[in-house]
Amino acid sequence: MTETTSATEPATASPGEAHTRSRYADLTRDELAAVVPELLLIGQLIDRSGMAWCISAFGRDEMAQIAIEEWAASSPIYTRRMQRALGYEPAEPGRGDVVTIFKGLQLDIGAPPQFMDFRYTVHDPHHGEFHLDHCGALLDVEPMGEDYVRSMCHDIEDPTFDATAVASNPRAQIRPIHRPPRTPADRHPHCAWTVIIDDSYPAAEDHPALATIGASRAATLDLAPIDPADEGASDYAGPLVSDLDFASFSASALTRMADEVCLQMHLLDQSYALAVGKRAAAEEQTLGIRRKQLTGLAGIAAERLARVLRIPRTEEGAVRLLSLHPLLNPAAYVAAAPDGTGVEVRRGPADEDRAWIWLVDPAHTGPLQAIVRGLDPHLDVEVAPLTDGTDGWRLEVVRREEAAPEDGSVAVTRFSAGAGFAFVERRSLPIFPV
């Protein structure tokens, strides 16, 4: 078991080194506080978009295995990144406590706030519990039948929870108290789990694909540090709280969170691509599945971001929406230059990883169309190669007379209640051992 490896460590910037400016830095602090939970929920919808195509292509059992490989090969990497960014990483690598694990879950696309409503109890540094008052993923899957519920809540959950714990302490075990299928059918909470850290437990092992994903540009990407002088909290080093009050964080911290959450999505997608590619008959099948996943997510993500930011349904509004969409973020990863009428995209780190933006070009514009049509179905894109001989393309947003029908991939993703889920204001309270 390798608790921390160079493959999962971002490069360390030299003092005074310039960083690519985040595109989220243009948002106000209030806007950022609303956008970060939206991005966390959008990340959860990656599987709502992608797994439908895996079931169709490979069947339910293989879909479950893809999900296990997808999360286990990416979540330890992005969990450690967020620990470092927000100052709650263990003093000794691999020796995190229950609070470290719970803080990580609160900033994980696998557990977006409220939609996956985790409630935490801490008994001491090595013992805790959590339960889900609301599990949006369960409510999405229950109509599909008990076999699908067992696949998610048993087959997938067990190894992926262990992978989550590995990021903080390899001798942590997350085990069920009860979980679905629900008996009775309306049982609440939806599930409950214990978290115990014990040095006598065998150390959980890294998934074999973790090293592959850990060597990606996304895993090692260097982002601008949080400015400790900015107004508001610059870290999460204090007590665990029941619900993160994103508005209490500084604009600098929220900007870093937004970029890190987008990287979580890219890392998860890379794991997804690796797992799908192992099963696909040919690369063309892998690319087709990945583009459907991206298109479905792109449209729903655009709708949610446009709604929370009140982006006007204009061509200029569409460019702003594109500039803030996870497809084009973080700026240090995706080499895109939005302007008043369009976006210029050149080869960058994301292309080296064959990330989402690599799937888009003048011949494959579906994800870009889904984004602008998430703002207004009359909007469209025209994409052409750059004329200066460099590797890239330029997108122009245009308006059509007739509204376009909803893309089938977007309709599949809309099946999830997460597409229309509304956050509510909550009071953030510290959690102390009981």
Side-chain angles (χ1 to χ4, degrees):
M1 164 67 199
T2 303
E3 295 175 0
T4 303
T5 67
S6 60
T8 61
E9 294 285 350
T12 301
S14 302
E17 181 180 339
H19 292 83
T20 302
R21 186 173 187 273
S22 171
R23 282 187 272 274
Y24 293 109
D26 293 329
L27 298 178
T28 68
R29 185 178 173 191
D30 286 345
E31 287 175 329
L32 284 163
V35 162
V36 172
E38 287 289 340
L39 290 172
L40 286 164
L41 178 51
I42 288 165
Q44 167 70 199
L45 295 176
I46 290 174
D47 273 2
R48 302 287 81 75
S49 176
M51 290 307 166
W53 307 110
C54 294
I55 294 169
S56 176
F58 311 116
R60 176 175 55 81
D61 290 344
E62 286 301 312
M63 175 277 296
Q65 290 304 310
I66 289 170
I68 291 167
E69 294 170 23
E70 171 194 35
W71 290 94
S74 60
S75 64
I77 298 169
Y78 65 63
T79 297
R80 292 180 187 129
R81 285 191 60 100
M82 194 68 84
Q83 289 174 352
R84 289 187 291 270
L86 290 177
Y88 62 92
E89 65 181 320
E92 182 182 346
R95 301 296 292 179
D97 59 11
V98 165
V99 167
T100 309
I101 294 170
F102 289 169
K103 286 182 177 181
L105 286 170
Q106 290 178 320
L107 290 162
D108 190 318
I109 57 176
Q114 300 185 27
F115 185 68
M116 306 289 286
D117 197 10
F118 282 67
R119 304 288 90 196
Y120 301 102
T121 299
V122 178
H123 297 296
D124 60 49
H126 290 166
H127 298 82
E129 299 175 15
F130 63 83
H131 65 266
L132 270 70
D133 276 345
H134 177 277
C135 179
L138 172 65
L139 298 182
D140 283 349
V141 171
E142 277 186 326
M144 301 170 68
E146 186 171 304
D147 287 344
Y148 281 93
V149 171
R150 287 191 178 276
S151 287
M152 182 178 74
C153 300
H154 294 245
D155 302 339
I156 297 172
E157 216 60 283
D158 287 350
T160 54
F161 267 146
D162 277 350
T164 297
V166 160
S168 302
N169 194 313
R171 299 188 189 278
Q173 291 187 355
I174 301 177
R175 297 295 182 264
I177 299 171
H178 70 81
R179 55 178 163 179
R182 290 193 283 170
T183 304
D186 60 350
R187 183 174 188 176
H188 280 82
H190 287 171
C191 63
W193 303 73
T194 61
V195 182
I196 299 174
I197 299 171
D198 192 319
D199 286 341
S200 69
Y201 290 164
E205 296 183 357
D206 289 342
H207 190 279
L210 184 65
T212 300
I213 305 304
S216 67
R217 292 296 303 274
T220 58
L221 190 72
D222 184 31
L223 295 172
I226 296 168
D227 182 0
D230 201 7
E231 182 181 357
S234 60
D235 59 42
Y236 191 13
L240 174 72
V241 295
S242 57
D243 295 276
L244 272 182
D245 177 11
F246 291 98
S248 70
F249 288 94
S250 68
S252 176
L254 290 165
T255 297
R256 179 61 182 269
M257 285 186 207
D259 279 340
E260 290 288 352
V261 174
C262 288
L263 277 180
Q264 290 187 18
M265 298 187 218
H266 290 296
L267 287 163
L268 188 70
D269 173 66
Q270 286 180 46
S271 303
Y272 175 81
L274 191 63
V276 169
K278 285 170 55 178
R279 294 161 174 84
E283 183 180 19
E284 195 57 38
Q285 184 183 23
T286 301
L287 293 176
I289 291 172
R290 291 189 67 199
R291 287 191 173 109
K292 290 176 182 177
Q293 175 236 48
L294 173 57
T295 301
L297 179 74
I300 298 299
E303 290 179 12
R304 293 197 63 93
L305 290 172
R307 183 164 56 243
V308 75
L309 292 171
R310 300 178 182 178
I311 294 177
R313 298 173 62 176
T314 62
E315 290 88 330
E316 294 78 11
V319 173
R320 182 173 186 240
L321 179 57
L322 283 159
S323 74
L324 299 171
H325 197 281
L327 172 61
L328 269 67
N329 284 284
Y333 189 57
V334 183
D339 56 36
T341 60
V343 182
E344 187 173 282
V345 176
R346 295 179 183 271
R347 183 174 176 80
D351 296 276
E352 295 177 40
D353 285 346
R354 295 192 168 192
W356 277 335
I357 198 66
W358 179 81
L359 299 172
V360 180
D361 57 40
H364 302 93
T365 60
L368 302 171
Q369 291 174 314
I371 292 172
V372 300
R373 289 169 181 169
L375 182 65
D376 186 327
H378 291 87
L379 295 176
D380 199 356
V381 296
E382 294 180 350
V383 181
L386 296 177
T387 58
D388 61 2
T390 58
D391 188 7
W393 44 266
R394 178 174 175 78
L395 169 157
E396 297 282 343
V397 180
V398 297
R399 180 173 292 276
R400 309 296 187 193
E401 289 188 11
E402 293 188 10
E406 181 170 70
D407 187 281
S409 297
V410 177
V412 167
T413 312
R414 197 181 299 284
F415 169 81
S416 172
F421 185 81
F423 293 104
V424 297
E425 187 173 346
R426 287 186 174 179
R427 186 180 179 188
S428 181
L429 299 172
I431 297 175
F432 298 108
V434 296

